[in-house]
Structures are given as structure tokens and as C-alpha cells.
Amino acid sequence: MSNLITASLIAVVGMLLLFAAMAVLYGMMYLMTALIKDGGGTEANEPEGELDAQSLRHRAAVIAVALARARAELSPIGWPEPEEAVRPWRQYHRNRALNMHGRARTAR
């Protein structure tokens, strides 16, 4: 019976320490957000009508880079483009790999 009491006591102390650490972490995050001011947000607060040509070009360049990066992340590297036909040797090895995995699952 003493093992059960000891295990319960360890669990309670561990949970108290966990919640105390979470409260300290939450407090630190709250203090960081309250004390640190974002100085780079002045451009985003401007109304759209007051933007000059250079800032518009800068925003267009940022958007173009973001779209190019998103497109590059979506396209897998090393795979043929959809227009290219899959070569027979590549299709053979893909089918072979798929069939080997299928056999391994059914053999158990």
C-alpha cells in the first residue's frame, strides 16, 4: 500500500511542478509581449492612398518572392514535370517498390 501512496505523491508533486512551470512560461510570454514594442510596423499602418511608388514596387517584389517560394515548395524536386512522360524503367521500379511494400504487409 505504501507504493501506491508514494506513486500518488510523486504524481501530485510532478503535476504541481508542471503547472508552476507553465505559469512561469505564460508570465514570461506576457511580459515579453507587453514590454517589447514592434518598431517595424509603421509602414503597415499607413493608409493605402499615401503610399509612394517605391513602396508599392517594394511590396510587389515581396509578394512576387513569396509566390515564387510557395510555388517552389509545392513542386517536388527531382520528379518529372507533368508534360514529360514517365520512363518505363522508372515506372517499373515504382511498381516494384509498391508491390514489395504490399507483400510485406500481407505476409505478417
Side-chain angles (χ1 to χ4, degrees):
M1 193 67 170
S2 68
N3 287 341
L4 182 62
I5 294 172
T6 305
S8 304
L9 184 63
I10 290 172
V12 167
V13 169
M15 285 179 18
L16 287 175
L17 287 174
L18 174 70
F19 287 124
M22 287 173 56
V24 168
L25 181 63
Y26 177 74
M28 288 174 57
M29 288 190 309
Y30 179 76
L31 284 175
M32 284 176 54
T33 56
L35 296 177
I36 298 174
K37 303 287 186 213
D38 186 18
T42 58
E43 189 175 311
N45 294 334
E46 293 180 3
E48 282 293 322
E50 296 181 13
L51 293 175
D52 60 345
Q54 184 163 349
S55 63
L56 287 176
R57 277 186 257 137
H58 178 64
R59 283 187 180 191
V62 168
I63 291 171
V65 169
L67 289 175
R69 289 191 67 180
R71 181 177 287 170
E73 288 177 5
L74 288 178
S75 65
I77 298 173
W79 290 89
E81 293 297 321
E83 298 87 26
E84 293 180 16
V86 178
R87 294 187 177 118
W89 64 270
R90 181 173 282 180
Q91 185 65 38
Y92 167 76
H93 286 291
R94 284 183 188 167
N95 288 338
R96 185 171 174 231
L98 288 173
N99 290 337
M100 284 188 344
H101 291 300
R103 279 191 223 124
R105 274 187 252 132
T106 57
R108 290 183 185 175

